[in-house]
Amino acid sequence: MSPSDDELFAFAAPESGPDVQSHDSLHSHARAHWPVLVVDDEPDVHAVTLLALRGVVTENLPLAFAHAYSAAEALAVLRDRRDFAVAIVDVVMEREDAGLQLVRQIREELGNVALRIILRTGQPGYAPEVETIRQYDINDYKTKAELTRVRLFTSVTMAIRSFALINQLNANRRGLEQVLSCMRELGKPEGLTRFAAGIVTQLRALLQVEEECLVCAAMEMPDTPAMLLAAAGRLSSSVGQPLADIPEPNVRQRLSRTLSSRQSSFTDGACIFVPGERQQALAAYIDIRRPLDNTERGLLDVFCSNISVAFENLQLHGTISHLAFADELLGLPNRNSLAQALNAKLDEPYTLALVDLDSFSDINSLLDNSFGDDVLRAVSKRIRAAFSPTVHVSRVGPDVFGLFGPCAELHVGAVMDLFALPFEVPDSAPLRLSATSGWLGVEVEKPSAATLLKNVGAALKRSKQLHRGQALWYQPELASEARDRMQLLSELRAALSSSGLFLEYQPFVNLQTGAFVGAEALLRWRRDNGSLVPPDRFIALAEQSRLIIPLGNWVLRSAMRWRAAMADMVGPEFRVAVNISQVQFREPDFLERLIEFAAECGVQPHWVELELTESVVADNIALTAQKVHALRQQGFAIAIDDFGTGFSSLSVLQHLPVDRLKIDRSFVSGDSARSSGMAVAYTVLTLAKQLGVKTIAEGIETLEQRDQLAAAGCDDGQGYLFSKPVDPVAFQALLLA
Ligand code: C2E
Ligand code: MG
Ligand code: MG
């Protein structure tokens, strides 16, 4: 067959009968041909392979075929005979990875390192582990569909050439091992420059050239001038420059001539040529002052033909890694890419910033996701346009951008300015946005990317906790705060299984009759050192770590058990209220758990009121409405806690069948009440009346507050006026008093 015959190597039944050679005929002619072992569980594949390779003569000898129809059979054949030059191995046979296992056995158990292996697979989507290919010195890997006649021919020819050379050079074991280990090193997909640097290193080792001897590699691509990718010796400072600019005319000429003639040459030093995919090519020059002997020439040949395979694989990997380093939605680099940029050497101090859009999840949940995407596009466009290309702009989280650039250009003012004007978003009025950011100064001598990202992340997190819409610079104390929180979290985890946690109960009072109509269970944590940690501090921590789920379950059961135990002392309508955090509420089996706990503790569902905050409710209105509906159908009561503090209160209520609104204490006794009287509380009460929803006011501290609320029609009240939260024993005393 002719190598120009580049039709698809169709794995269908051949038109003419295949000339299958008998197994026996091979034994006696070990030197008269190149023995090739075809390993495949489909007989057709054997036939077509023979057809494709019929008549091939390479390195002056014809091929001779032997056949195995399973990995086990192949292993037996190879154990018997060690003269095979090439094995063409199917990946999927008896098992999904039978071929890969066979390769491992050939290399490891049989210790056969000379045999060249071509892997092929019928399943286009089935990629063998990259590890295996890298580790076991596989010559080529192709799916059957991409293995055209020409490619199979080329692949086998190359493999045989390698095998012949490996054999011929077998005397020089050290050199051989060197080549194999080069391939392992170069096979690691670590990027083009590392690859080129690897070639330089390996060439020096292979030819044992002296320290100062020049070795360099250049690369050419179709529309770009060739560039110096790596160099050892005199030219190391020219790495990264166009080939045309390197100061040594002789080296420049050798490399460009090799790239344009696409041929290695070995007079006056050596310059090797390595072809790759898509017209790309590498050339490497070694300024060796002595003539190369045949062994060295042979080694270089094997080296070249092998690295071209590694080079192709690397380019393939290049396209994959492009995806790994880019964000598809915005076409910006992603977090991996930022990490890479952070690891690069700096010549001047840089600034690193994380910029987080405020209320983006509201934009996404109140409007739809495609609108959210448009908003992100508008923001990313403005950020990218505002800075020069020296500033690395990436998307590191759903609504978080990473910026890394010289201090002079990248500073807080520059980022704040970005949000001064509204954004143009398709199908929307101009949109005002704000962002919260964390900042970190990066010195020339800098820690690892991981540390930098961790620190700037801590600054952003703190900034979000402190003041939305502003910027905060990282300070080392933030790291110690983070450590403190970790410490606290691990203590909290321990407290959950010891007896560090307990509940206090604060009564609900009917404002007309003064009767106790219920109580809110409030979680308390006493640390081993005796100090009480306020819930505001540890609940958020537990939420972030999802510890809130076992913690919340513990609260629910304890509160229900308490209510069951109180059954004789309180009326049948007495309710126990339990605070439910968003993370807990979102658990898919939340309702099942509740029903299970109620049955286990012997309480009726309507004795239990769940307090959800507005943020829980606003998070995903449709889903919440559905869940609330299901909970109420089971008989549980739902109250909206801290009502009036969220921004979407009114719209939310129309879709949500809740039992009770709990007016936030800031409108009763807090700052807001002091500045504007109880105006908000009155509005809420009016609204609730219209919707037919019951009400309770938190934070009642004075008789005057109680009387005003009672007069305005508020049903129940809770607050220090009646009682602080107390332990169960004290609660009983309150009831009796
Ligand atoms: P919350 O649900 O709004 O609970 C009412 C808070 O107001 C309690 O604070 C209570 O002690 C306090 N309070 C009651 N009466 C008055 C008063 O007259 N004046 C003033 N100034 N404050 C009053 P606490 O116990 O510190 O709890 C704080 C928050 O921690 C709770 O706010 C609730 O959101 C959360 N929390 C407490 N226990 C749990 C729990 O078991 N699970 C969850 N997820 N959150 C809890
Ligand atoms: Mg509450
Ligand atoms: Mg509250």
Side-chain angles (χ1 to χ4, degrees):
M1 71 175 264
S2 107
S4 65
D5 176 13
D6 200 9
E7 65 187 284
L8 262 194
F9 189 146
F11 274 78
E15 294 123 70
S16 56
D19 57 346
V20 182
Q21 300 206 4
S22 85
H23 214 105
D24 290 341
S25 68
L26 290 169
H27 282 287
S28 42
H29 313 291
R31 291 291 151 109
H33 43 228
W34 298 115
V36 173
L37 179 63
V38 182
V39 188
D40 203 302
D41 55 352
E42 286 173 53
D44 275 351
V45 174
H46 289 259
V48 184
T49 307
L50 290 180
L51 189 68
L53 296 173
R54 187 164 48 190
V56 169
V57 173
T58 180
E59 300 294 303
N60 301 321
L61 292 178
L63 311 180
F65 295 90
H67 300 270
Y69 294 89
S70 68
E73 191 187 339
L75 190 66
V77 173
L78 288 164
R79 187 169 276 133
D80 249 25
R81 288 182 42 190
R82 304 198 57 109
D83 64 328
F84 282 106
V86 180
I88 305 174
V89 178
D90 189 14
V91 174
V92 183
M93 291 181 286
E94 302 98 299
R95 274 174 293 112
E96 267 215 334
D97 64 342
L100 299 177
Q101 288 307 325
L102 175 63
V103 171
R104 187 185 59 75
Q105 287 166 318
I106 294 170
R107 299 293 190 231
E108 282 182 6
E109 287 173 27
L110 306 183
N112 185 342
V113 290
L115 178 70
R116 301 293 83 207
I117 297 175
I118 297 168
L119 270 181
R120 52 182 184 185
T121 176
Q123 280 89 328
Y126 182 83
E129 314 135 63
V130 177
E131 267 307 309
T132 314
I133 295 203
R134 188 197 291 168
Q135 202 177 347
Y136 293 111
D137 179 31
I138 287 162
N139 257 59
D140 209 349
Y141 167 78
K142 289 279 151 23
T143 65
K144 285 173 187 173
E146 56 179 331
L147 213 48
T148 58
R149 276 167 186 269
V150 170
R151 286 196 94 138
L152 183 64
F153 168 85
T154 318
S155 211
V156 170
T157 310
M158 252 180 52
I160 285 178
R161 199 177 297 153
S162 302
F163 176 78
L165 282 161
I166 288 171
N167 263 0
Q168 179 198 326
L169 297 167
N170 217 7
N172 189 342
R173 277 212 76 85
R174 216 173 39 79
L176 173 64
E177 265 151 26
Q178 189 78 52
V179 170
L180 295 176
S181 86
C182 291
M183 288 350 295
R184 275 197 294 276
E185 280 308 303
L186 291 176
K188 294 176 187 165
E190 281 174 332
L192 203 51
T193 37
R194 298 273 306 261
F195 183 75
I199 293 180
V200 167
T201 316
Q202 301 300 344
L203 277 175
R204 286 175 70 181
L206 203 61
L207 302 177
Q208 294 177 284
V209 297
E210 318 71 50
E211 273 293 304
E212 70 281 9
C213 176
L214 173 70
V215 182
C216 56
M219 173 169 174
E220 184 175 64
M221 287 185 282
D223 303 311
T224 25
M227 206 177 73
L228 192 68
L229 282 183
R234 314 191 287 280
L235 282 179
S236 26
S237 58
S238 299
V239 170
Q241 291 185 7
L243 194 54
D245 293 351
I246 66 172
E248 295 199 26
N250 172 42
V251 179
R252 205 160 63 210
Q253 270 167 19
R254 279 303 286 278
L255 286 167
S256 16
R257 214 177 315 130
T258 304
L259 285 169
S260 56
S261 70
R262 306 181 71 81
Q263 253 175 5
S264 305
S265 58
F266 298 100
T267 42
D268 235 357
C271 199
I272 60 168
F273 177 73
V274 184
E277 291 257 277
R278 288 166 270 137
Q279 293 299 304
Q280 302 184 1
L282 287 174
Y285 174 67
I286 311 107
D287 183 19
I288 191 165
R289 299 291 159 86
R290 56 178 165 78
L292 298 178
D293 63 23
N294 279 344
T295 308
E296 287 172 323
R297 291 275 293 270
L299 278 171
L300 276 183
D301 253 349
V302 179
F303 183 78
C304 286
S305 59
N306 280 285
I307 38 181
S308 73
V309 172
F311 184 40
E312 274 190 33
N313 286 345
L314 179 85
Q315 289 172 301
L316 202 66
H317 177 81
T319 30
I320 296 166
S321 68
H322 169 73
L323 295 177
F325 287 101
D327 177 73
E328 279 191 76
L329 176 69
L330 304 181
L332 283 181
N334 64 12
R335 190 183 187 90
N336 292 345
S337 169
L338 174 61
Q340 265 195 342
L342 288 171
N343 275 329
K345 241 183 79 196
L346 291 186
D347 297 329
E348 56 177 316
Y350 265 42
T351 301
L352 172 62
L354 294 184
V355 179
D356 184 317
L357 297 185
D358 295 331
S359 315
F360 185 71
S361 55
D362 293 333
I363 291 177
N364 251 347
S365 67
L366 293 178
L367 298 155
D368 62 306
N369 285 356
S370 75
F371 183 74
D373 291 350
D374 286 339
V375 171
L376 288 172
R377 281 193 199 98
V379 175
S380 88
K381 215 168 110 191
R382 186 174 294 174
I383 299 182
R384 193 52 282 180
F387 296 101
S388 76
T390 35
V391 176
H392 187 280
V393 177
S394 55
R395 183 190 188 196
V396 299
D399 58 345
V400 186
F401 295 90
L403 279 70
F404 181 53
C407 302
E409 194 181 349
L410 180 58
H411 48 81
V412 172
V415 167
M416 287 298 186
D417 286 350
L418 294 174
F419 294 89
L421 291 176
F423 288 80
E424 296 296 336
V425 181
D427 304 325
S428 154
L431 192 67
R432 281 204 176 273
L433 293 172
S434 69
T436 308
S437 51
W439 293 75
L440 175 69
V442 181
E443 295 302 318
V444 173
E445 288 299 318
K446 58 184 165 41
S448 70
T451 308
L452 294 172
L453 283 169
K454 194 182 80 192
N455 291 347
V456 76
L460 175 63
K461 201 163 168 186
R462 195 78 188 115
S463 182
K464 282 161 75 173
Q465 287 164 353
L466 289 178
H467 32 55
R468 282 275 175 184
Q470 297 194 29
L472 184 83
W473 284 89
Y474 171 80
Q475 278 153 356
E477 297 86 78
L478 285 179
S480 63
E481 276 174 32
R483 262 197 308 280
D484 288 351
R485 282 200 300 274
M486 281 304 294
Q487 168 67 22
L488 205 61
L489 186 62
S490 87
E491 277 185 47
L492 180 58
R493 201 164 270 138
L496 185 57
S497 41
S498 68
S499 51
L501 295 173
F502 59 100
L503 293 182
E504 284 188 337
Y505 297 91
Q506 187 178 29
F508 298 155
V509 175
N510 180 308
L511 291 184
Q512 307 304 324
T513 65
F516 279 16
V517 291
E520 175 171 11
L522 291 160
L523 184 55
R524 300 290 177 254
W525 174 23
R526 195 184 301 281
R527 288 168 89 174
D528 290 343
N529 65 14
S531 65
L532 269 175
V533 188
D536 294 332
R537 185 136 178 251
F538 69 84
I539 298 273
L541 201 62
E543 280 172 347
Q544 284 154 22
S545 65
R546 299 181 62 80
L547 185 62
I548 194 71
I549 294 178
L551 198 64
N553 286 341
W554 180 85
V555 172
L556 275 167
R557 285 166 112 153
S558 310
M560 287 191 199
R561 242 181 250 131
W562 176 77
R563 175 59 183 84
M566 296 289 287
D568 291 340
M569 298 190 63
V570 296
E573 295 307 313
F574 185 94
R575 61 187 194 269
V576 61
V578 179
N579 294 287
I580 303 296
S581 94
Q582 182 163 15
V583 185
Q584 236 180 319
F585 185 72
R586 282 225 218 104
E587 282 290 282
D589 62 351
F590 179 64
L591 178 60
E592 279 86 338
R593 278 291 93 74
L594 270 179
I595 297 173
E596 180 189 316
F597 294 160
E600 174 193 312
C601 302
V603 305
Q604 297 182 25
H606 76 269
W607 294 351
V608 180
E609 185 164 82
L610 306 171
E611 293 194 358
L612 309 177
T613 60
E614 273 183 77
S615 58
V616 174
V617 173
D619 184 48
N620 182 337
I621 299 168
L623 187 84
T624 310
Q626 206 183 355
K627 259 195 159 160
V628 163
H629 193 75
L631 284 162
R632 291 189 74 218
Q633 237 174 7
Q634 289 295 324
F636 297 101
I638 308 288
I640 304 219
D641 204 353
D642 305 343
F643 192 78
T645 53
F647 73 101
S648 53
S649 327
L650 301 175
S651 59
V652 161
L653 275 181
Q654 276 153 9
H655 306 283
L656 218 59
V658 299
D659 297 272
R660 198 178 312 273
L661 296 184
K662 213 169 167 183
I663 302 170
D664 190 71
R665 63 175 181 271
S666 58
F667 307 118
V668 175
S669 54
D671 292 344
S672 171
R674 269 189 287 279
S675 61
S676 57
M678 281 201 205
V680 177
Y682 294 148
T683 312
V684 174
L685 289 170
T686 316
L687 172 77
K689 205 166 286 163
Q690 274 169 12
L691 293 168
V693 175
K694 294 218 163 342
T695 45
I696 179 168
E698 293 182 335
I700 301 181
E701 293 178 350
T702 65
L703 286 169
E704 192 194 358
Q705 289 159 0
R706 181 198 65 184
D707 294 341
Q708 283 174 341
L709 288 160
C714 184
D715 298 301
D716 300 336
Q718 170 186 12
Y720 295 165
L721 174 67
F722 310 109
S723 166
K724 293 207 157 181
V726 294
D727 64 39
V729 177
F731 196 90
Q732 286 197 10
L734 275 179
L735 274 179
L736 295 174

